Amino acid sequence: MAEFAFQHTVRSPVRFAGIGVHTGEQARVTLLPAPADTGVVFIRTDVRDRDNRIAVSGEAVCRTQLGTVITNAAGVTVSTIEHLMAALVMTGVDNALVEIDGPEMPIMDGSSIDFIRGLDRAGLQPQGAPRRFIEIVDVVEVIEGDKRATLRPSEGFEVAFEIAFASAAIGRQAVDLKMDAGAFRRELADCRTFGFLHEVEALRAMGLARGGSMDNAVVIDGDEIMNPEGLRRPDEFVRHKALDAIGDLYVLGAPVIGRFEGVLAGHALNNAVVRALLATPHAWRVRTLAEEMAEAV
């Protein structure tokens, strides 16, 4: 338990490279160690004419269409951060600098597994400062029609998600998991993003999905899955939505002690409930396990 009570950064640099699923642009990424209490900060190394640092926060999220995009006051953005953010929080990385030479995180295989493997290779460096958790102490909920995102109190971190699609390839799926580092690796980390073939042309006309392919997404045509290898899990779709939610919650800047429930939700509603939580101070508190451990001795 003691190792979870204190902050960690990466022990050594971690490098990734690949194509952005929406921009179609190649990007190189280097995760670097950062001092305690830094949080996660993205640095656009290709931007030199203005502030290129973007500190991750709930307020920094500026767009949520098919991915989470963050920005700074200078208008510099980084998109599709959610899969990396999920890997960071679930491997216990509190502080990191994320250098990137393009506007979008590489999609890798469409899941978090490549980020997890890279972080495993680098290892973690413990830091002296206590890790801050955001403990949910009252229910916060955002409802839009039949969509819902809820944060409610729980003794640990739990994620529940439910989706429903007309395609027989997906149908109605639900998952409800107690989540920690081991459970994330076992249950969610390798679950890929997905999309529908009939939507591709419209998305590309909007400047989206330009880098999407069966190498980095599960592609559905009507009621059929087009990927020759099929699914990694029968309910890979809803599990990926749970993965997304974990990454979207980490813009809070600290791991959550509480239960997240998403019903037909996506990045927009995930961020809406984050903002609703921040706007409801009585519904949460900062908790540090290090102080509790010291008091118990």
Side-chain angles (χ1 to χ4, degrees):
M1 189 69 171
E3 67 270 23
F4 300 116
F6 293 91
Q7 295 179 31
H8 288 72
T9 188
V10 291
R11 188 179 297 275
S12 60
V14 191
R15 293 180 175 84
F16 306 98
I19 194 170
V21 68
H22 292 308
T23 60
E25 295 184 23
Q26 291 284 335
R28 292 171 296 182
V29 178
T30 304
L31 268 66
L32 297 168
D37 298 323
T38 299
V40 180
V41 179
F42 284 78
I43 303 171
R44 282 281 302 273
T45 59
D46 58 318
V47 174
R48 298 181 179 86
D49 62 340
R50 50 195 159 141
D51 182 14
N52 64 356
R53 295 170 65 94
I54 311 169
V56 175
S57 70
E59 295 85 356
V61 176
C62 62
R63 293 197 304 275
T64 51
Q65 186 179 24
L66 300 181
T68 295
V69 185
I70 54 171
T71 189
N72 64 10
V76 177
T77 64
V78 177
S79 61
T80 321
I81 67 166
E82 59 272 12
H83 301 166
L84 174 64
M85 293 299 290
L88 290 174
V89 68
M90 297 315 302
T91 54
V93 176
D94 302 275
N95 307 298
L97 302 179
V98 186
E99 293 187 343
I100 180 169
D101 66 356
E104 184 180 22
M105 279 293 299
I107 191 63
M108 311 307 285
D109 77 338
S111 76
S112 289
I113 195 65
D114 289 326
F115 297 129
I116 292 283
R117 289 168 178 159
L119 290 165
D120 284 349
R121 289 193 298 271
L124 297 185
Q125 178 65 45
Q127 299 174 293
R131 172 174 287 158
R132 291 184 295 270
F133 294 82
I134 291 180
E135 182 178 19
I136 310 301
V137 297
D138 198 1
V139 176
V140 173
E141 187 169 62
V142 177
I143 300 173
E144 294 180 2
D146 57 353
K147 302 176 182 179
R148 174 172 64 86
T150 309
L151 286 165
R152 62 177 74 249
S154 174
E155 292 184 359
F157 181 38
E158 301 177 11
V159 178
F161 218 102
E162 182 178 339
I163 60 173
F165 287 86
S167 169
I170 305 177
R172 183 171 290 274
Q173 298 181 359
V175 68
D176 193 332
L177 298 166
K178 292 183 177 180
M179 191 51 50
D180 58 20
F184 183 75
R185 292 166 186 267
R186 291 191 306 271
E187 306 286 354
L188 301 179
D190 66 344
C191 295
R192 297 162 292 175
T193 192
F194 59 95
F196 294 90
L197 186 64
H198 72 270
E199 296 178 350
V200 169
E201 286 188 11
L203 290 172
R204 288 181 175 167
M206 293 188 291
L208 299 170
R210 291 179 176 176
S213 72
M214 284 186 281
D215 292 330
N216 53 42
V218 178
V219 181
I220 303 146
D221 184 11
D223 294 330
E224 301 295 327
I225 293 165
M226 297 185 67
N227 301 58
E229 75 280 8
L231 297 176
R232 293 176 176 173
R233 301 162 189 263
D235 57 352
E236 185 171 1
F237 305 103
V238 73
R239 288 173 183 267
H240 181 79
K241 298 288 277 188
L243 182 160
D244 277 346
I246 290 170
D248 287 343
L249 287 179
Y250 199 33
V251 302
L252 285 164
V256 169
I257 299 175
R259 176 178 173 85
F260 172 85
E261 297 171 354
V263 177
L264 312 182
H267 299 293
L269 217 57
N270 295 346
N271 187 246
V273 81
V274 162
R275 289 174 180 263
L277 181 73
L278 294 173
T280 315
H282 74 266
W284 60 282
R285 69 181 180 112
V286 174
R287 181 174 168 186
T288 58
L289 300 184
E291 293 173 3
E292 294 175 16
M293 290 169 61
E295 291 172 359
V297 172

